[in-house]
Amino acid sequence: MTNGQGYGGTGGHGAPPPPQYPYGQASYQQNPYVQSPPPQNPYAQPVPPSQPYPPQQPYPSQQSHASAPPRPASGLPGGFPGPAPRRSRAAVLTQFLLQWIYAPLWILGLVLLFVLLIFADNVGGGSGPSSDGWLKVNRSFLPPRRLRAELTGRPEDWERYVAPILARRIAAAEAAYAAGDGEVQADLGRVVRVGLALRLYRGLGAAGVVRLAERHGWHGVVAGTDAGHVRLARHFPAPAVLNAPAPQDPPAAPGTPWGPQPVRFAPLLPFVFLLQIVYVPVYGLLTCWVSRPEPDYWDRWGARWTVGPRAFRAEFTNSPAAWDRHIRRILDRDTKRISTAARTPNGPRVDRVHLKRATYRGAGAHRALRLAAEQGWTLDPAYTPDPANSLHLTRP
């Protein structure tokens, strides 16, 4: 709408009415505050017409991604590579047939190699390899679903194969987060990460894996994704409320989550101390071959049937003074370790400690929290309090 004060005789009183646009749009000449477009350059080269859609990004080659600037972790089109080139059917079938022969021989060779390494270490010879990738026999093994996906090359077959693997990896990572895993961020939230190798999603592409991960609330990380892997991550916010007593509150009642827990029968502790010499190696061997959902399986189950030499006297006597000495000894040890790491020129500063249940079993989590407060430690707001199993402490 004009005000009758146009320039150059246009738009003033008596001027013809402005043109009507079908969708209610106004021309930029009607706004008296808009600058006129610059005159066209007669020597300018013609500009080719822009494409309505960006071209499809080819699969990146085997090059280092450290030189490229990091891009934002988002699922934008073109941010992740597509399907990789298919393998020949003859090579896939040959691998599937020969794996039943070389896999047992591979395992036998690993056993013999372990014997040689142990003998070499005893003699004082060399050392083992720096990487354990050659130990993973399953990396070269083709299961039936992957064989079908490799032969057909259809994305739906690859998705049918990758989806259960991705779901298991994500479930294990989220269980690890619930057990206290994850990188603490500046907002006190924690980030957990998952990676998949190219052999698991060759015909689907990293973009397809990111699409499947978004259904579980995860996102892709472009900066960490290369030609051979796809990186996924999920950010969990910090707990909203810490339902925990303050150090100066009255002591918690025995049997409650924050109070003293029942200790084991004192006459049995010497036998437990001796039997754990056999129990601990057998337990460690079994857990290496059993898929367990809890990452802190040892803290929750294995440590319940063992007793350390430092905690033996505190649990055997079950006196408050012995438990206080034991808790203070553990806190002093962790504080000294943190101070040493802080003085290291290139070492990161660690300001978090983790007290396990065996440290304060007979004294209670609240008593451990009170003793830790004497040295400036408080509950870590990045973790949900779990006094029945462990305490996460931080010092500002």
Side-chain angles (χ1 to χ4, degrees), residues 344-369:
T344 304
N346 298 326
R349 179 173 179 83
V350 181
D351 57 352
R352 288 178 168 88
V353 296
H354 180 206
L355 295 183
K356 300 181 180 180
R357 177 177 180 266
T359 304
Y360 55 85
R361 183 200 304 263
H366 185 257
R367 181 61 181 173
L369 184 62

Side-chain angles (χ1 to χ4, degrees), residues 162-201:
V162 177
I165 299 177
L166 182 62
R168 289 194 299 267
R169 299 280 183 91
I170 289 178
E174 293 178 351
Y177 162 79
D181 195 8
E183 301 176 7
V184 181
Q185 305 298 308
D187 59 350
L188 298 180
R190 284 182 287 157
V191 173
V192 289
R193 306 180 188 276
V194 165
L196 290 180
L198 177 63
R199 67 179 185 278
L200 302 177
Y201 62 90

Side-chain angles (χ1 to χ4, degrees), residues 263-275 307 312-318:
V263 296
R264 288 168 289 189
F265 188 49
L268 292 179
L269 288 179
F271 298 97
V272 173
F273 186 80
L274 296 176
L275 290 177
V307 56
F312 181 85
R313 181 176 180 180
E315 192 168 0
F316 186 80
T317 60
N318 197 26

Side-chain angles (χ1 to χ4, degrees), residues 267-313:
L268 292 179
L269 288 179
F271 298 97
V272 173
F273 186 80
L274 296 176
L275 290 177
Q276 69 184 7
I277 301 176
V278 180
Y279 165 73
V280 172
V282 174
Y283 181 87
L285 181 61
L286 292 178
T287 52
C288 289
W289 298 96
V290 176
S291 177
R292 54 193 185 278
E294 300 89 354
D296 57 343
Y297 204 81
W298 171 255
D299 295 339
R300 292 179 178 269
W301 300 105
R304 296 176 184 268
W305 304 102
T306 59
V307 56
R310 295 182 177 180
F312 181 85
R313 181 176 180 180

Side-chain angles (χ1 to χ4, degrees), residues 32-373:
Y33 303 99
V34 176
Q35 299 179 1
S36 60
Q40 185 176 4
N41 186 2
Y43 303 100
Q45 297 294 331
V47 180
S50 60
Q51 299 180 0
Y53 299 99
Q56 185 177 2
Q57 182 178 357
Y59 199 84
S61 59
Q62 294 283 356
Q63 59 183 0
S64 176
H65 60 275
S67 59
R71 290 174 289 182
S74 61
L76 296 177
F80 298 94
R86 291 181 55 184
R87 300 174 58 193
S88 64
R89 295 185 177 182
V92 172
L93 291 176
T94 303
Q95 179 182 354
F96 181 77
L97 295 176
L98 294 181
Q99 68 185 4
W100 308 102
I101 301 175
Y102 69 75
L105 297 178
W106 194 338
I107 297 175
L108 180 59
L110 290 178
V111 174
L112 297 177
L113 185 58
F114 273 123
V115 175
L116 293 177
L117 290 177
I118 294 174
F119 178 77
D121 291 339
N122 291 334
V123 174
S127 58
S130 58
S131 175
D132 59 347
W134 53 280
L135 298 174
K136 309 296 183 180
V137 185
N138 58 326
R139 291 185 177 182
S140 61
F141 207 81
L142 282 176
R145 285 188 178 182
R146 183 176 156 197
L147 174 65
R148 176 183 177 86
E150 291 273 10
L151 293 178
T152 61
R154 294 182 298 186
E156 54 269 20
D157 292 337
W158 277 103
E159 181 174 347
R160 194 177 299 113
Y161 168 69
V162 177
I165 299 177
L166 182 62
R168 289 194 299 267
R169 299 280 183 91
I170 289 178
E174 293 178 351
Y177 162 79
D181 195 8
E183 301 176 7
V184 181
Q185 305 298 308
D187 59 350
L188 298 180
R190 284 182 287 157
V191 173
V192 289
R193 306 180 188 276
V194 165
L196 290 180
L198 177 63
R199 67 179 185 278
L200 302 177
Y201 62 90
R202 178 183 299 274
L204 192 61
V209 176
V210 172
R211 176 175 53 84
L212 295 178
E214 290 176 350
R215 301 176 184 176
H216 300 272
W218 288 60
H219 64 271
V221 181
V222 182
T225 300
D226 52 18
H229 298 83
V230 59
R231 310 294 181 182
L232 307 172
R234 182 175 181 181
H235 179 271
F236 290 90
V241 180
L242 298 180
N243 296 323
Q248 63 273 13
D249 288 347
T256 59
W258 288 93
Q261 302 297 322
V263 296
R264 288 168 289 189
F265 188 49
L268 292 179
L269 288 179
F271 298 97
V272 173
F273 186 80
L274 296 176
L275 290 177
Q276 69 184 7
I277 301 176
V278 180
Y279 165 73
V280 172
V282 174
Y283 181 87
L285 181 61
L286 292 178
T287 52
C288 289
W289 298 96
V290 176
S291 177
R292 54 193 185 278
E294 300 89 354
D296 57 343
Y297 204 81
W298 171 255
D299 295 339
R300 292 179 178 269
W301 300 105
R304 296 176 184 268
W305 304 102
T306 59
V307 56
R310 295 182 177 180
F312 181 85
R313 181 176 180 180
E315 192 168 0
F316 186 80
T317 60
N318 197 26
S319 65
W323 280 110
D324 289 353
R325 286 194 301 268
H326 178 57
I327 295 174
R328 286 193 175 96
R329 187 186 303 114
I330 298 299
L331 288 174
D332 293 341
R333 181 199 64 184
D334 294 342
T335 303
K336 183 178 179 181
R337 175 177 53 84
I338 291 174
S339 301
T340 304
R343 288 194 300 266
T344 304
N346 298 326
R349 179 173 179 83
V350 181
D351 57 352
R352 288 178 168 88
V353 296
H354 180 206
L355 295 183
K356 300 181 180 180
R357 177 177 180 266
T359 304
Y360 55 85
R361 183 200 304 263
H366 185 257
R367 181 61 181 173
L369 184 62
R370 177 174 297 182
L371 297 177

